[in-house]
Amino acid sequence: STTNISTKNGGRNLPSKPQMRYDPEVPMSKQEAVIWRREKRRVRNRESAKLSRQKTRDRIVELETELNRWQTKYMEAMARLQMLEGQQQIQEGTTGGTASTPI
């Protein structure tokens, strides 16, 4: 037996949200309950938005770190390529460079 499952939402079985209830010792009117629920929803939404913004900031930091790593690798590869090209030119210079001389 499944409890607290709703078959609304197109027949999908989704857990139903427990209704927010204000259970004070002093009862409140229907209008006051509506206002209370609205305020609670605003607070939840504010917290959710704050969490979402923090996740976005964290992801940006993560991507910037990854970008810096790739830029460093690129610069190292370019430096190595220039060094190898320089060595190749030196070797061609000492061997006379006959391999690259046109006929």
Side-chain angles (χ1 to χ4, degrees):
S1 76
T2 54
T3 57
N4 206 17
I5 298 291
S6 172
T7 56
K8 296 177 188 173
N9 300 321
R12 294 174 292 184
N13 288 334
L14 300 173
S16 63
K17 288 185 178 179
Q19 185 169 354
M20 290 177 30
R21 292 196 173 176
Y22 181 71
D23 220 4
E25 297 194 11
V26 179
M28 68 167 63
S29 71
K30 193 171 188 174
Q31 182 63 26
E32 290 171 329
V34 168
I35 292 169
W36 179 81
R37 275 193 224 89
R38 189 177 300 143
E39 182 59 29
K40 287 293 183 185
R41 190 169 48 246
R42 281 187 189 131
V43 169
R44 279 196 321 270
N45 188 43
R46 198 174 301 126
E47 290 170 355
S48 177
K50 182 179 178 181
L51 180 63
S52 178
R53 287 189 299 269
Q54 185 60 48
K55 283 182 180 180
T56 301
R57 284 191 291 267
D58 292 346
R59 181 67 176 140
I60 288 170
V61 168
E62 180 182 322
L63 289 171
E64 287 173 341
T65 301
E66 186 175 348
L67 174 64
N68 289 336
R69 262 195 331 265
W70 282 110
Q71 286 175 331
T72 301
K73 280 187 170 194
Y74 174 78
M75 295 304 290
E76 289 170 354
M78 290 304 291
R80 179 155 169 73
L81 178 63
Q82 288 175 348
M83 180 191 69
L84 292 172
E85 285 176 343
Q87 287 177 354
Q88 183 180 13
Q89 287 175 357
I90 290 172
Q91 287 177 352
E92 287 175 358
T94 59
T95 59
T98 55
S100 62
T101 305
I103 299 175

